[in-house]
Amino acid sequence: MGSMFRSEEMVLCQLFVQPEAAYVSMYELGEAGIAQFRDLNPHVNDFQRRYVSEVRRCSEMERKLRWVSGELPEPPPPPIPSRRMLSPREINMLEEKIDYIESEIQEMTKNARNLKSDYLSLIELKLLIEKTQTFFQDHSAQRKLSATVQIYNNDAVFGHLGFIAGTVATSRVPSFERMLWRISHGNIFFKQAQIDQPLKDPITGHELQKTVFVVFFHGEQIKLRVKKVCFGFKATLYPCPATYKDQQEMLSGVETRIKDLEMVLDQTEQHRRLVLTNIAGDISTWMLAVRKEKAIYHTLNMFSMDIIKKCLIAECWVPKSDLYIAQKALDDGVKASGSPIPSILHHVPTREIPPTFNRTNKFTRGFQTLIDSYGIASYREVNPALYTIITFPFLFAVMFGDVGHGLIMTAFSAIIVIYEKRLSKNKSDNEIWNIFFAGRYIILLMGIFSVYTGLIYNDMFSKSLNLFGSSWMNVYDSETLANHTSLELDPAVAYTQTPYPFGLDPAWQFATNNIIFLNSFKMKLSIIFGVLHMAFGVTMSVVNFNFFRKPEMIYLQYVPQILFLMLLFWYLCILMFMKWTMYSATATDPTYGTSCAPSVLITFINMMLLKGSEDSPPCKAMMFDGQDALQKLFLTLGFLCIPIMLFGKPAFLFWQARNRKRHEVGGERGEVPAGAGGGAGAAGELLITQAIHTIEYVLGTVSHTASYLRLWALSLAHAQLSAVLWQRVLRYGLARSLAGSVTMYVGFAVWAFFTLAILVLMEGLSAFLHTLRLHWVEFMSKFYDGQGYAFMPFSFAAIIEHDDEELAQNGAPPEKKDEEY
Amino acid sequence: MAFVTELPYRVALSDGDVHKEKQTWETNYTPIYVMTTIFAIIFFIGPFAIKKGENKWIIKTCMMLASFFLWLFWVTVYIAGMNPLVGPQLRNTTLAWMAHTWGESALVTKTSGDTSSSGDTGSDG
């Protein structure tokens, strides 16, 4: 069955492939994603496996490609999906090409860096000359020295002073100056000027603040010391002429060189960009091909090599319905390699537990994920996800019922669903968006059901719709109305005796005693839904018993469980329906009038405690004749179910074991039969386990039934929040004056913000969580085993989806997470 | 806020608290039949409308589950409202507005009114 009723049947297969044919076969299996391979070499070190060199080669290529794509100015376009497989020769060519491109780009980057350093030096020199002009001019004005300049040991000398000029980082200037002062015992003259615009460091790309300095000194010794200090502080020194004429010459020379260098840098950058653009389109496709290859070789490493027959052996789990795909993949491999020896696919009957595989499409995947988060279903157990598609949004909607908020949710999710193809292409890192996107169908259904329950609760942004005409009417005349501010409508006279056809009457919206009526009604509603949901859950176990051929368990476990639940709690629901129908304000018999309507809860508690109650005329204690006897009967039957639950299964297993032992002992003497092995120990453990389960179930019927009252609680909270927001925020804008328009503008903004943030998002999240809990605990604990492990096939699609996450150290594809997006 | 001192039409009760014309209505069961039929069609006949498709069993199950739960929700609300034991407690302004705007409901089927002198003008809130 292609449905989600239970997980698929899995088959353990053994593949015998020739090494030449292996690559093509694995490629096809990877594309199909149908086989989960088992590691047949678990004790072999990663570096000793057969295909380790190929994996390493692929890792290298991947690293180079990743580096190149990091150099691209913008992210590369997505890969072109092609099912064409690369032959080993093509892969070699690809490897060479990637090598070549990588070295070319590296060289270009290095050249660019060198050029940039030169450029930086030239710029600094130019600035230095410009700034030091002022120093020298200053100096000559002060000292009025002659213009003769003596070149003294290749350093410039000004008058009798030697000087050194250069640049240093601005942050170091104070300590630099202090150091120079100390070294020279104060015999230097230090002038500095900061370069205003920051310069770009060629290597790191950071911006640096630099300061131009000139140090004037006298003597050779000091010159050496100053040079050493400059070296220590990483100041760059430049030869700077002293005379104005020489400086201008140098300046023009530097400026020409700067212009030349700028041109060269431009061209280098353009060339680099051209190369990168040429390969930008192909990078993703290459990366994909390399990744696929690496995955194939990694999986091939899991095969074991049969030396005698010279073929590779693999073990894998394959769904039975997909076996033909596996066969086709093997045949294609043989054909492509031209090998005369065919590959063999061989069933292995086994007692091992296969993985659990539920085939899902984009709609059902979300619901399956919700169930799998609690626990993967045991192999071929009934799958609750199928029913969750409807019960989850429905129970959510009971807690969230509001037409307005439901419409907002539906609109939001409908937009996402309509544009899902476009949105799924942008891979986002934003976790919250990914969660919303993955659950778009869940949110859509939740929104649609919320609109329905909103119509029934007659709640639209805390206002009611009057579509069919209210069944309540005013019966008071103007004088009564004038004398009393608040009046209650008597259902005997003010009610048309026909309820509002769809949902709650709109008259209740204005009522100050609204909550009294709604509380009683919603509580009863929650219990009814709860009992039905739980009964459904218990009945699911019948399906499991039937499938796993344990019909006796139906009588020993299911029947007592369902009887206990229904006799006590469905009887409670029946009492509720009886109270709603039997007791009326228009009843002629006062026994069935409003003042005599019994409390269903008290009746139920008295039933459980076997407490009788007396009639206080005209009211009767019991609702119908024979109720007392019937209740006692139900209670007895219910409690008789408990020992069956406690001892039924252990007694049956014990009796079964004894029968087996009798047969075996009749056949061969002296052999210890397996059934009775363990004796008292096993039986004791079985009894304890069964006792725990029974207590859990019995107490669970009470606590879980009460737990469903959260349906009432959350819907009440939602309605109250919505009412508060309207009355305290929006209503103040609904004034009649012109100034009211401004208040309305602001008030609407505040109201809309809080509606979205608190009522839709927060309440929505809260109701989602509670519904999830109701499903996981109250529903699934009645039948779900959840001891299976997920089917994780070797699939290219899964590997590509996780390409942004870390890969395992040995290049293995990452573990498939629970959620697939 | 101006208070309506006189109702635009007189309700069938006279002033004072002595005489009262009592109107009786019968319960109209039509909505139950209509809604149950609609949901029953979806529940029983709907699944046969889906004949092919890879996901036909999923769609059939969803139709049956949805129609059952939605019908159950509606019928519970309806039955809970059939014999209300308390009525809404409303402000006098609201009552006046109700009488003015809503008049009498379209679904009401009135039988003849009996004059009975039961002193009952409704209790105070």
Side-chain angles (χ1 to χ4, degrees):
Chain A
M1 238 197 306
S3 70
M4 288 166 63
F5 190 60
R6 53 165 48 94
S7 59
E8 297 211 1
E9 193 179 342
M10 310 290 284
V11 169
L12 184 63
C13 297
Q14 250 183 346
L15 307 175
F16 296 89
V17 267
Q18 301 302 310
E20 308 90 48
Y23 188 83
V24 179
S25 300
M26 291 308 297
Y27 191 90
E28 291 221 1
L29 284 175
E31 290 281 347
I34 52 160
Q36 177 176 341
F37 287 95
R38 308 213 302 197
D39 193 358
L40 294 174
N41 311 317
H43 305 295
V44 176
N45 191 344
D46 280 338
F47 297 105
Q48 290 167 349
R49 294 194 186 219
R50 197 180 145 85
Y51 291 98
V52 67
S53 54
E54 277 84 355
V55 175
R56 203 178 287 147
R57 195 181 62 160
C58 292
S59 292
E60 264 301 301
M61 280 205 276
E62 209 184 335
R63 184 192 63 81
K64 288 182 186 151
L65 276 175
R66 208 175 300 147
W67 180 80
V68 170
S69 68
E71 294 287 314
L72 289 175
E74 47 192 36
I80 311 158
S82 76
R83 294 187 68 99
R84 196 182 66 85
M85 196 196 60
L86 298 175
S87 71
R89 196 177 62 90
E90 284 171 343
I91 292 178
N92 284 341
M93 280 179 16
L94 184 65
E95 191 186 0
E96 280 174 18
K97 201 194 292 190
I98 293 175
D99 257 340
Y100 173 70
I101 288 175
E102 189 223 7
S103 54
E104 194 184 343
I105 294 183
Q106 263 185 347
E107 203 178 311
M108 275 199 287
T109 315
K110 199 164 61 138
N111 282 348
R113 202 171 293 163
N114 288 343
L115 287 174
K116 281 196 188 121
S117 313
D118 287 345
Y119 184 69
L120 185 71
S121 323
L122 286 175
I123 295 273
E124 280 182 359
L125 182 54
K126 182 173 117 168
L127 289 165
L128 178 76
I129 295 175
E130 281 169 3
K131 297 258 186 223
T132 52
Q133 276 178 354
T134 53
F135 296 161
F136 291 115
Q137 280 163 7
D138 242 8
H139 225 77
S140 74
Q142 283 184 6
R143 306 258 314 239
K144 289 203 171 65
L145 285 177
S146 66
T148 15
V149 169
Q150 297 166 17
I151 306 297
Y152 182 48
N153 277 352
N154 281 341
D155 296 325
V157 169
F158 192 73
H160 297 290
L161 292 178
F163 67 92
I164 282 186
T167 56
V168 75
T170 310
S171 49
R172 294 198 170 152
V173 163
S175 42
F176 183 54
E177 193 177 348
R178 212 175 311 135
M179 191 60 139
L180 285 173
W181 191 257
R182 274 204 208 119
I183 286 214
S184 56
H185 304 291
N187 284 336
I188 54 139
F189 187 52
F190 183 81
K191 273 221 103 161
Q192 56 158 311
Q194 182 166 343
I195 301 178
D196 295 318
Q197 78 272 31
L199 304 167
K200 207 154 175 241
D201 184 8
I203 302 174
T204 57
H206 291 158
E207 300 202 317
L208 310 164
Q209 285 279 357
K210 290 233 171 163
T211 303
V212 163
F213 69 88
V214 183
V215 182
F216 293 96
F217 51 83
H218 182 75
E220 190 61 33
Q221 283 290 341
I222 298 190
K223 183 179 82 173
L224 287 173
R225 284 189 205 155
V226 167
K227 270 200 166 162
K228 281 217 184 82
V229 171
C230 291
F231 179 69
F233 276 82
K234 289 200 182 58
T236 21
L237 301 176
Y238 297 101
C240 182
T243 52
Y244 186 72
K245 196 166 56 98
D246 285 344
Q247 281 176 354
Q248 289 303 98
E249 256 179 58
M250 193 166 211
L251 200 55
S252 54
V254 164
E255 275 179 359
T256 2
R257 279 169 65 194
I258 285 180
K259 274 203 192 55
D260 285 340
L261 207 52
E262 272 176 357
M263 213 163 54
V264 173
L265 267 176
D266 248 346
Q267 280 182 349
T268 321
E269 185 59 34
Q270 259 184 3
H271 178 58
R272 182 166 172 271
R273 200 163 294 165
L274 196 67
V275 169
L276 285 175
T277 330
N278 278 344
I279 56 166
D282 292 325
I283 278 209
S284 305
T285 326
W286 291 341
M287 186 72 125
L288 190 63
V290 169
R291 271 216 191 96
K292 284 187 186 177
E293 197 195 336
K294 191 160 97 165
I296 292 177
Y297 279 120
H298 180 78
T299 315
L300 281 174
N301 272 340
M302 293 202 257
F303 288 23
S304 82
M305 179 71 172
D306 188 347
I307 307 194
I308 307 166
K309 300 199 196 81
K310 288 202 182 48
C311 71
L312 291 167
I313 308 179
E315 269 182 25
C316 58
W317 289 106
V318 182
K320 190 160 182 181
S321 45
D322 287 340
L323 274 176
Y324 71 98
I325 302 180
Q327 187 63 52
K328 181 172 172 300
L330 289 177
D331 292 339
D332 283 346
V334 169
K335 220 186 313 176
S337 71
S339 154
I341 312 167
S343 305
I344 304 175
L345 179 98
H346 169 65
H347 269 227
V348 176
T350 171
R351 280 182 177 270
E352 286 177 35
I353 300 180
T356 310
F357 176 51
N358 282 307
R359 208 179 292 265
T360 54
N361 55 25
K362 66 183 177 188
F363 176 73
T364 51
R365 188 172 302 150
F367 299 101
Q368 188 67 52
T369 311
L370 284 179
I371 301 296
D372 285 345
S373 306
Y374 183 66
I376 310 272
S378 304
Y379 180 60
R380 300 229 91 194
E381 186 186 32
V382 73
N383 182 15
L386 177 59
Y387 315 106
T388 311
I389 298 178
I390 293 295
T391 57
F392 189 92
F394 180 73
L395 289 180
F396 174 89
V398 173
M399 293 196 245
F400 193 77
D402 188 307
V403 177
H405 305 144
L407 279 174
I408 295 177
M409 269 183 116
T410 315
F412 169 67
S413 53
I415 292 177
I416 300 184
V417 165
I418 291 174
Y419 290 115
E420 65 181 356
K421 280 212 176 58
R422 198 188 309 169
L423 289 169
S424 67
K425 286 213 179 78
N426 322 337
K427 284 200 203 293
S428 162
D429 278 337
N430 191 350
E431 276 280 334
I432 298 182
W433 166 255
N434 281 341
I435 291 179
F436 275 126
F437 185 73
R440 56 196 183 276
Y441 287 105
I442 308 180
I443 302 180
L444 179 66
L445 276 174
M446 294 195 314
I448 295 175
F449 275 89
S450 298
V451 173
Y452 180 84
T453 54
L455 284 173
I456 296 216
Y457 284 149
N458 222 340
D459 188 350
M460 179 170 193
F461 296 123
S462 85
K463 294 295 159 204
S464 286
L465 302 168
N466 187 3
L467 300 169
F468 302 99
S470 173
S471 299
W472 295 91
M473 63 192 77
N474 173 37
V475 291
Y476 302 111
D477 57 356
S478 44
E479 210 178 299
T480 328
L481 286 181
N483 291 335
H484 304 95
T485 37
S486 168
L487 290 162
E488 190 168 317
L489 292 177
D490 183 358
V493 295
Y495 183 62
T496 62
Q497 304 309 317
T498 304
Y500 188 73
F502 193 80
L504 276 179
D505 200 290
W508 284 107
Q509 182 55 41
F510 314 113
T512 38
N513 62 349
N514 181 21
I515 295 190
I516 299 178
F517 172 71
L518 277 184
N519 276 1
S520 150
F521 154 67
K522 280 188 185 172
M523 280 205 232
K524 296 192 170 90
L525 179 77
S526 312
I527 300 290
I528 294 174
F529 281 140
V531 173
L532 279 174
H533 201 213
M534 287 196 290
F536 185 44
V538 177
T539 313
M540 280 290 109
S541 62
V542 176
V543 179
N544 277 341
F545 292 147
N546 189 27
F547 181 77
F548 292 116
R549 308 235 198 289
K550 292 195 201 147
E552 64 280 349
M553 297 302 281
I554 299 182
Y555 302 108
L556 295 173
Q557 192 151 321
Y558 169 68
V559 168
Q561 278 182 342
I562 197 78
L563 273 181
F564 186 81
L565 179 66
M566 295 306 234
L567 284 177
L568 296 177
F569 292 94
W570 186 242
Y571 176 66
L572 174 65
C573 297
I574 300 221
L575 284 180
M576 292 176 197
F577 277 108
M578 288 178 76
K579 179 175 175 183
W580 278 334
T581 44
M582 280 167 55
Y583 293 85
S584 155
T586 52
T588 39
D589 184 1
T591 325
Y592 294 109
T594 52
S595 48
C596 282
S599 160
V600 173
L601 187 60
I602 304 288
T603 312
F604 185 66
I605 293 176
N606 289 344
M607 163 182 159
M608 299 298 273
L609 297 178
L610 287 171
K611 212 162 64 166
S613 45
E614 279 146 19
D615 295 344
S616 43
C619 302
K620 283 203 240 169
M622 294 285 134
M623 289 205 276
F624 55 92
D625 293 330
Q627 181 177 358
D628 199 34
L630 189 67
Q631 282 179 184
K632 289 205 171 73
L633 175 68
F634 281 168
L635 198 60
T636 320
L637 283 177
F639 278 105
L640 276 180
C641 292
I642 297 186
I644 305 182
M645 282 193 263
L646 259 179
F647 300 114
K649 184 171 163 191
F652 175 79
L653 288 172
F654 184 66
W655 173 78
Q656 206 180 42
R658 211 154 54 105
N659 270 358
R660 212 183 305 141
K661 183 166 119 182
R662 205 182 293 140
H663 287 167
E664 278 180 29
V665 165
E668 298 158 32
R669 282 188 154 262
E671 201 171 296
V672 179
E685 209 175 293
L686 190 58
L687 273 172
I688 292 181
T689 320
Q690 195 61 22
I692 293 176
H693 281 163
T694 308
I695 296 176
E696 194 184 336
Y697 180 78
V698 169
L699 292 180
T701 49
V702 181
S703 80
H704 292 170
T705 309
S707 179
Y708 275 93
L709 285 172
R710 68 188 70 220
L711 295 175
W712 156 60
L714 260 89
S715 75
L716 178 69
H718 191 94
Q720 293 301 303
L721 273 174
S722 186
V724 159
L725 219 48
W726 182 283
Q727 282 160 14
R728 296 276 168 256
V729 177
L730 198 62
R731 214 157 138 260
Y732 290 121
L734 298 169
R736 274 155 233 91
S737 64
L738 197 56
S741 60
V742 178
T743 331
M744 186 65 200
Y745 186 79
V746 174
F748 179 78
V750 176
W751 175 83
F753 171 73
F754 280 118
T755 297
L756 282 177
I758 294 186
L759 283 168
V760 177
L761 281 173
M762 191 194 82
E763 275 283 320
L765 202 62
S766 171
F768 182 94
L769 194 71
H770 283 286
T771 313
L772 200 57
R773 176 249 154 73
L774 279 179
H775 276 77
W776 282 355
V777 177
E778 274 78 17
F779 177 61
M780 278 156 64
S781 70
K782 303 277 182 297
F783 68 97
Y784 196 61
D785 197 23
Q787 301 290 329
Y789 61 103
F791 177 62
M792 296 201 292
F794 166 60
S795 157
F796 290 144
I799 293 167
I800 292 162
E801 263 172 36
H802 292 107
D803 65 356
D804 293 328
E805 298 166 16
E806 301 109 30
L807 301 174
Q809 280 311 102
N810 58 357
E815 321 247 298
K816 187 163 143 194
K817 305 239 176 19
D818 280 330
E819 292 134 281
E820 263 184 61
Y821 292 137
Chain B
M1 186 159 45
F3 180 68
V4 176
T5 48
E6 198 154 77
L7 291 175
Y9 79 103
R10 269 199 171 278
V11 191
L13 299 180
S14 60
D15 57 340
D17 52 2
V18 179
H19 296 287
K20 191 182 89 161
E21 214 173 77
K22 199 166 177 181
Q23 288 176 320
T24 53
W25 292 273
E26 277 175 14
T27 317
N28 185 5
Y29 288 102
T30 320
I32 288 196
Y33 299 139
V34 169
M35 294 296 278
T36 310
T37 317
I38 296 177
F39 280 115
I41 291 178
I42 306 178
F43 184 84
F44 290 108
I45 306 186
F48 290 107
I50 316 284
K51 288 214 182 15
K52 51 183 155 61
E54 197 186 309
N55 298 318
K56 67 175 185 205
W57 284 110
I58 301 181
I59 298 178
K60 284 188 220 253
T61 315
C62 288
M63 277 175 87
M64 291 170 74
L65 269 174
S67 60
F68 174 70
F69 275 115
L70 293 181
W71 169 79
L72 181 66
F73 195 22
W74 175 83
V75 92
T76 310
V77 177
Y78 194 83
I79 295 181
M82 268 181 6
N83 297 313
L85 300 175
V86 289
Q89 182 180 17
L90 303 162
R91 290 216 302 250
N92 48 2
T93 47
T94 314
L95 283 166
W97 173 85
M98 269 168 67
H100 173 63
T101 324
W102 290 354
E104 275 164 4
S105 171
L107 283 180
V108 166
T109 26
K110 278 191 284 225
T111 56
S112 62
D114 284 337
T115 325
S116 62
S117 53
S118 49
D120 173 31
T121 48
S123 49
D124 283 346

